Amino acid sequence: MTDLATRWLGLELRSPLVVGASPLTDDLDALKACVKAGAGAVVMHSLFEEQLVEEQMAAHRFIDSRINTDAEARSFFPESELFEMGSGGYLQRLELLRRSLDVPVIASLNGISTGGWTGHALELEAAGAHAIELNLYDLATDPSETAASLEQRQLAVVRSVAEQVTIPVSVKLSPFYSALPSFVAGVEAAGARGLVLFNRFYQPEMDLDELELSREVVLSSSAELPLRLHASAMLYGQTSLEMAISGGVHTGDDAAKAILSGAAAVQVVSAILADGPDALGRIHHGMSRRLSDMGYRDLAEARGALSMDKAPNSRTWERLNYARLLHGWK
């Protein structure tokens, strides 16, 4: 069978399969089962800066606004500073996972301000995170803001975090960049060590009967994978960032395709949420068997075998395949 050991974010992983950011962070038994089934690392769910700020403000509003309502209030309302608010619970969970799992544990951070990103990143490093995944979720809603200014703001965040911490920083991107290779070059120059392709935005559906938004989470399917494979194949050989594919990996063949397109790691979430940790074991076995049948002895030999850097001109290669696809439709 193919040796599945890999290197991602400078970390030595015994398998490229990574439990991606998800509610599984809160289920230690499930994470242990995933590691036993073949997971090489675990990514915690995101620590959202807005959530921390809102929790702090809500507590202050609830307690402090009532302290001065009458003369006796101070005798039974504690000062809000006595409550532990903020990232404390997340950091405790991180420390628990570090002690309980024998694979790297990667913290995930989703912030809205440069100061918030860097401050929490330092906390995550101090708590023992092997690496930090920056989840860049910054939608353009202001008509006066250009794509260039939004991207520069995101790169400033990456740079500020990478300069503050000593552990590796990975950046989880959306697929919505008009010039992805250029932005990735900026991410690399800002000091990041890796990429995750791509974030899945859980966009709300509309409930026409109730005239309100429906926030039902829809799990991924293998149909979402080609977008990730295409980006990985395009970027491989153009960047030294170590890439991971996230979204649409449900089978061993899906994972094998991710490696062949140039990824060093493969994040899995939906398959585990749908079928439990056994799904990861199934993917692990299927990927190993497929790569072995193709004659690959290890992942280093297989990585990038189907990337675009094998083509003499990637732009021509892109357009040629596009034309072939359209003309081949019947």
Side-chain angles (χ1 to χ4, degrees), residues 6 19 25 56 78 89 93 95 154 167 177 193 208 223 231 235 264 298 301 304:
T6 189
V19 180
T25 297
Q56 293 168 348
R93 193 67 185 177
E95 293 169 350
Q154 292 184 334
I167 57 178
Y177 292 91
R193 185 67 179 267
L208 296 181
L235 293 170
D298 53 44
E301 188 177 341

Side-chain angles (χ1 to χ4, degrees), residues 59-60 63-64 67 78-85:
H60 280 293
I63 297 174
D64 295 345
I67 286 181
E79 295 290 340
S80 60
E81 287 81 1
L82 295 178
F83 284 87
E84 180 182 359
M85 294 175 288

Side-chain angles (χ1 to χ4, degrees), residues 115-194:
W117 285 87
T118 55
H120 293 308
L122 288 169
E123 291 180 335
L124 296 174
E125 180 179 34
H130 289 92
I132 294 175
E133 181 176 284
L134 294 182
N135 192 338
L136 293 184
Y137 183 72
D138 192 358
L139 296 179
T141 58
D142 184 352
S144 66
E145 182 175 40
T146 65
S149 63
L150 185 148
E151 291 181 6
Q152 287 305 311
R153 183 170 68 244
Q154 292 184 334
L155 293 176
V157 166
V158 176
R159 185 176 297 105
S160 66
V161 173
E163 289 176 349
Q164 289 294 319
V165 299
T166 60
I167 57 178
V169 174
S170 180
V171 181
K172 193 171 189 177
L173 301 179
S174 81
F176 307 121
Y177 292 91
S178 57
L180 181 62
S182 176
F183 185 74
V184 167
V187 169
E188 183 174 354
R193 185 67 179 267

Side-chain angles (χ1 to χ4, degrees), residues 89-123:
Y90 190 95
L91 299 176
Q92 292 174 5
R93 193 67 185 177
L94 169 57
E95 293 169 350
L96 173 64
L97 297 187
R98 274 294 313 262
R99 294 194 305 268
S100 305
L101 304 176
D102 62 348
V103 297
V105 177
I106 300 165
S108 178
L109 181 59
N110 191 317
I112 55 176
S113 66
T114 302
W117 285 87
T118 55
H120 293 308
L122 288 169
E123 291 180 335

Side-chain angles (χ1 to χ4, degrees), residues 24-329:
L24 289 166
T25 297
D26 298 323
D27 190 339
L28 180 57
D29 289 337
L31 291 179
K32 287 181 176 179
C34 286
V35 171
K36 184 177 180 180
V42 169
V43 182
M44 297 179 66
H45 65 67
S46 288
L47 178 64
F48 285 86
E49 183 185 348
E50 302 101 316
Q51 182 178 0
L52 299 181
V53 172
E54 176 60 26
E55 289 174 354
Q56 293 168 348
M57 293 304 295
H60 280 293
R61 286 193 297 268
F62 178 75
I63 297 174
D64 295 345
S65 66
R66 289 166 169 76
I67 286 181
N68 295 315
T69 54
D70 61 60
E72 297 182 358
R74 288 187 177 276
S75 66
F76 60 86
F77 268 117
E79 295 290 340
S80 60
E81 287 81 1
L82 295 178
F83 284 87
E84 180 182 359
M85 294 175 288
S87 57
Y90 190 95
L91 299 176
Q92 292 174 5
R93 193 67 185 177
L94 169 57
E95 293 169 350
L96 173 64
L97 297 187
R98 274 294 313 262
R99 294 194 305 268
S100 305
L101 304 176
D102 62 348
V103 297
V105 177
I106 300 165
S108 178
L109 181 59
N110 191 317
I112 55 176
S113 66
T114 302
W117 285 87
T118 55
H120 293 308
L122 288 169
E123 291 180 335
L124 296 174
E125 180 179 34
H130 289 92
I132 294 175
E133 181 176 284
L134 294 182
N135 192 338
L136 293 184
Y137 183 72
D138 192 358
L139 296 179
T141 58
D142 184 352
S144 66
E145 182 175 40
T146 65
S149 63
L150 185 148
E151 291 181 6
Q152 287 305 311
R153 183 170 68 244
Q154 292 184 334
L155 293 176
V157 166
V158 176
R159 185 176 297 105
S160 66
V161 173
E163 289 176 349
Q164 289 294 319
V165 299
T166 60
I167 57 178
V169 174
S170 180
V171 181
K172 193 171 189 177
L173 301 179
S174 81
F176 307 121
Y177 292 91
S178 57
L180 181 62
S182 176
F183 185 74
V184 167
V187 169
E188 183 174 354
R193 185 67 179 267
L195 289 175
V196 180
L197 309 170
F198 289 115
N199 198 349
R200 292 184 73 242
F201 295 144
Y202 296 114
Q203 300 177 0
E205 184 53 280
M206 296 181 181
D207 186 332
L208 296 181
D209 295 324
E210 300 296 332
L211 290 180
E212 62 183 21
L213 297 180
S214 173
R215 295 175 177 84
E216 181 179 354
V217 174
V218 178
L219 300 180
S220 76
S221 70
S222 296
E224 298 181 35
L225 183 60
L227 177 68
R228 280 94 177 150
L229 299 178
H230 178 270
S232 178
M234 177 176 59
L235 293 170
Y236 185 80
Q238 296 193 47
T239 179
S240 64
L241 296 176
E242 296 167 342
M243 296 183 292
I245 281 182
S246 176
V249 176
H250 288 258
T251 69
D253 278 3
D254 289 341
K257 291 174 184 178
I259 299 299
L260 294 169
S261 72
V266 183
Q267 294 193 3
V268 182
V269 172
S270 291
I272 303 174
L273 293 178
D275 301 323
D278 287 346
L280 196 140
R282 171 176 49 78
I283 294 172
H284 184 276
H285 179 72
M287 172 181 57
S288 179
R289 184 180 65 247
R290 170 64 76 177
L291 294 176
S292 179
D293 289 345
M294 295 176 71
Y296 294 113
R297 293 166 295 181
D298 53 44
L299 287 196
E301 188 177 341
R303 186 176 303 116
L306 294 178
S307 63
M308 291 186 196
D309 76 327
K310 302 297 187 290
N313 185 307
S314 58
R315 185 171 185 273
T316 301
W317 185 90
E318 277 272 6
R319 292 186 60 81
L320 178 60
N321 279 284
Y322 178 65
R324 285 174 173 171
L325 176 64
L326 293 180
H327 287 294
W329 176 261

